[in-house]
Amino acid sequence: MSAFTRTRTTSHSDTTNLPAPVQPGSDLGLLLLRWAVGLTMAAHGSQKLFGWFDGGGLDGTAGFFAGSGYSAARTMAVVAGLTETLAGLGLVIGFLTPLAGAGIVGIMLNVMAVKWGSGFFGPTGIEFDLLLLVAAASLALAGPGRFAVDRLLPVLRAHRLSHGIAAVAFGAAAAGIVLVTLRS
């Protein structure tokens, strides 16, 4: 029996237990994407929390939130700064990747809501924010790849699409709740 015949006659139940093929290019690509998005978001979060990288710190960020129509502006500054920093670092090391992606999705939806009506292209448009949102959602859906802390966690060792879908939905729902309840 040839290899072609053997693969054609294998039943579906026989193939479900086969290990996934090793794809080092995909794993390396996911690692680079995680680093780019994660470090970008962690830097933005540290601007909000600590004033690093010419950021406004908590006071400046709270002023921005107040001017953008958010109630509890200081709390929003802390939540946004912590979410960006922790979700960003989570992506960098591949820790709780679906949840880290969800955090960035939620933040970026709020950013886009604030900027809505300013056009698509920068510096005031939503193009950069949309790119970060889609990249974070893609990482939540695709998983972190093999070079990630998640590979050491029993629940997340084998990434499931359902984890990613649930995480993206959670991030979008959280953003919606913040926009409806805390922004006038």
Side-chain angles (χ1 to χ4, degrees):
M1 179 181 289
S2 73
F4 177 75
T5 308
R6 192 171 40 249
T7 58
R8 299 285 294 161
T9 59
T10 303
S11 72
H12 175 69
S13 62
D14 293 340
T15 61
T16 56
N17 293 327
L18 295 176
V22 175
Q23 298 175 330
S26 297
D27 293 324
L28 187 57
L30 289 168
L31 176 67
L32 291 175
L33 183 59
R34 284 192 355 251
W35 283 356
V37 174
L39 290 173
T40 299
M41 293 307 300
H44 278 274
S46 66
Q47 286 181 307
K48 289 172 179 62
L49 291 174
F50 312 115
W52 296 351
F53 311 114
D54 295 322
L58 286 176
D59 292 336
T61 304
F64 168 79
F65 276 110
S68 298
Y70 286 86
S71 61
R74 182 133 179 117
T75 301
M76 284 300 303
V78 171
V79 169
L82 284 174
T83 301
E84 289 179 2
T85 303
L86 296 177
L89 294 175
L91 284 183
V92 168
I93 64 173
F95 179 65
L96 301 175
T97 303
L99 189 58
I104 294 170
V105 165
I107 290 289
M108 291 297 104
L109 285 171
N110 271 274
V111 170
M112 290 170 56
V114 169
K115 290 183 172 183
W116 199 258
S118 297
F120 181 75
F121 295 103
T124 59
I126 63 167
E127 67 178 325
F128 177 67
D129 312 304
L130 180 63
L131 181 63
L132 287 171
L133 182 146
V134 171
S138 297
L139 286 167
L141 294 170
R146 289 185 303 142
F147 309 123
V149 173
D150 283 353
R151 298 279 296 174
L152 305 174
L153 303 174
V155 173
L156 294 176
R157 184 172 295 134
H159 179 76
R160 307 254 190 284
L161 178 60
S162 60
H163 293 156
I165 291 170
V168 171
F170 174 72
I177 290 169
V178 166
L179 286 168
V180 167
T181 61
L182 297 177
R183 186 161 185 248
S184 53

